[in-house]
Amino acid sequence: MRKLYFLLPGTDGKFACGGLWAELKAFKLAQSFSSADVVTYRQREKDKLFLDDLLKEKDLNDVIFVISWGFHVTELVAKLKQYNVVYHAHSPGYPFRLPPSIPIVTVSRYTMGYWGEKSPNSLIYYLPNQISNEFKNLGRERDIDVLVQARKSSEYLIKELIPALQKRCKVLVVDSYIEDLPGLFNRAKVYLYDSAEYWAQQGVSEGFGLQPMEALASGCQVFSSVNGGLADYLDPGFNCYKIAGYSQEYDVQRILKVIDSSVAFSLSEEFFAEYRAENIIKRFQVILDELNEFFDRKIQQPSNIKSLTRVRMAKLLAQKIYGKLRKKYFN
């Protein structure tokens, strides 16, 4: 079994974000059943390996480099082309292509479908992000009517919907790091999340969307956009409500109706089982076994399936048109 090296630009400061925390969670899960380390490549950090130092070693065939930082993938693929590399895909839409020699592990079925179209000759797997067990419904009294995290929120949410709600109920807008997020979710009746506008501006897609899942697990009613990976698990009318639905007035009416409802909201733990550590570890083990077998085979067998390049697409289209013309005029 090869050792896993999770490549990250850094683990603090300017690199702190949801994607980093999700990748570090994956690293911790990998450590529970295999040998794994974090390797930084932008900033040196105490007690952590640095990529340039690591690459000075002569034989690295017994390791797998796990890359994940979308904006750095092209650079890392070029740097690691002679080694065993896996792309851990979070947000789809980055402007790069991957060779079939690099397997892809995706955090959502939405992301898996994206890469299934873009890299049809690559090995592709689904390994969902983890929802920590601390996110659960504690059955406490909820003293916050509406909770919003400002980051990734749409202009409509911040400038129109929230001011309208503040006139009618207790709204808390959070714009900084929260130490006890499970506790905060357990204080809120409704959680608002609207990230479609944010991701459209970034030019990439919502790969998973942890916060609405964490809010649901904590017993919040969720009003959310359903873009990208959110569509993996959000089901408007059944476990959530679609936000920005037709008009601001209609949004306000629906949210107030939920706040005023006396019916307690709770989803079964079975719904979240797919995203808990136990299931993810089992999937991770199966995927890692297959990756190790692939890298054993790759040494002896070159890739020989024709790639779906633009040139080949044009050729296939020309063949299709020619076939139709021949059938129409010569048969």
Side-chain angles (χ1 to χ4, degrees), residues 229-270:
L230 293 166
D232 263 32
Y233 63 87
L234 289 181
D235 192 1
F238 296 91
N239 64 19
C240 73
Y241 299 85
K242 169 67 174 63
I243 203 168
Y246 182 68
S247 71
Q248 178 204 115
E249 292 77 13
Y250 189 50
D251 272 354
V252 170
Q253 290 170 11
R254 291 186 298 147
I255 292 168
L256 292 177
K257 182 179 178 181
V258 169
I259 291 171
D260 293 337
S261 173
S262 59
V263 179
F265 172 77
S266 183
L267 293 175
S268 70
E269 183 54 34
E270 184 179 353

Side-chain angles (χ1 to χ4, degrees), residues 153-220:
S153 290
S154 65
E155 185 176 62
Y156 160 72
L157 195 63
I158 298 298
K159 294 186 176 181
E160 297 181 38
L161 183 57
I162 290 174
L165 286 169
Q166 286 173 328
K167 299 174 183 177
R168 308 283 296 274
C169 61
K170 186 176 180 180
V171 180
L172 176 62
V173 180
V174 177
D175 59 2
S176 59
Y177 176 74
I178 300 298
E179 189 72 34
D180 182 18
L181 189 55
L184 187 59
F185 279 143
N186 268 275
R187 291 177 56 198
K189 296 175 183 176
V190 169
Y191 176 68
L192 306 185
Y193 187 83
D194 188 10
S195 72
E197 183 179 277
Y198 170 85
W199 288 109
Q201 292 179 70
Q202 300 301 309
V204 294
S205 299
E206 178 87 80
F208 184 86
L210 277 168
Q211 290 83 7
M213 172 74 77
E214 292 168 342
L216 286 173
S218 304
C220 287

Side-chain angles (χ1 to χ4, degrees), residues 39-173:
V39 177
T40 63
Y41 55 86
R42 279 284 195 272
Q43 64 183 23
R44 292 181 179 273
E45 297 183 12
K46 185 180 179 181
D47 300 325
K48 288 187 178 65
L49 297 166
F50 191 68
L51 182 59
D52 287 346
D53 298 337
L54 190 61
L55 294 182
K56 293 175 183 177
E57 296 185 15
K58 293 182 179 180
D59 186 9
L60 290 171
N61 186 53
D62 61 345
V63 305
I64 296 173
F65 291 100
V66 182
I67 61 176
S68 61
W69 216 264
F71 293 112
H72 302 161
V73 164
T74 301
E75 168 196 339
L76 290 171
V77 166
K79 194 168 191 173
L80 301 170
K81 60 184 177 181
Q82 69 188 51
Y83 304 107
N84 303 318
V85 177
V86 171
Y87 176 43
H88 192 197
H90 292 263
S91 301
Y94 292 102
F96 61 80
R97 289 185 176 274
L98 293 173
S101 58
I102 298 181
I104 302 166
V105 179
T106 68
V107 301
S108 65
R109 289 184 175 86
Y110 166 76
T111 308
M112 180 169 62
Y114 169 88
W115 281 108
E117 291 184 2
K118 193 155 187 174
S119 295
N121 301 336
S122 298
L123 293 179
I124 301 175
Y125 302 93
Y126 165 59
L127 186 72
N129 279 332
Q130 179 197 0
I131 303 299
S132 301
N133 290 335
E134 59 189 338
F135 290 98
K136 59 184 178 181
N137 190 345
L138 300 176
R140 296 174 180 171
E141 183 178 350
R142 297 179 182 269
D143 62 329
I144 300 169
D145 291 324
V146 177
L147 174 65
V148 183
Q149 289 174 293
R151 186 174 181 271
K152 297 183 184 178
S153 290
S154 65
E155 185 176 62
Y156 160 72
L157 195 63
I158 298 298
K159 294 186 176 181
E160 297 181 38
L161 183 57
I162 290 174
L165 286 169
Q166 286 173 328
K167 299 174 183 177
R168 308 283 296 274
C169 61
K170 186 176 180 180
V171 180
L172 176 62
V173 180

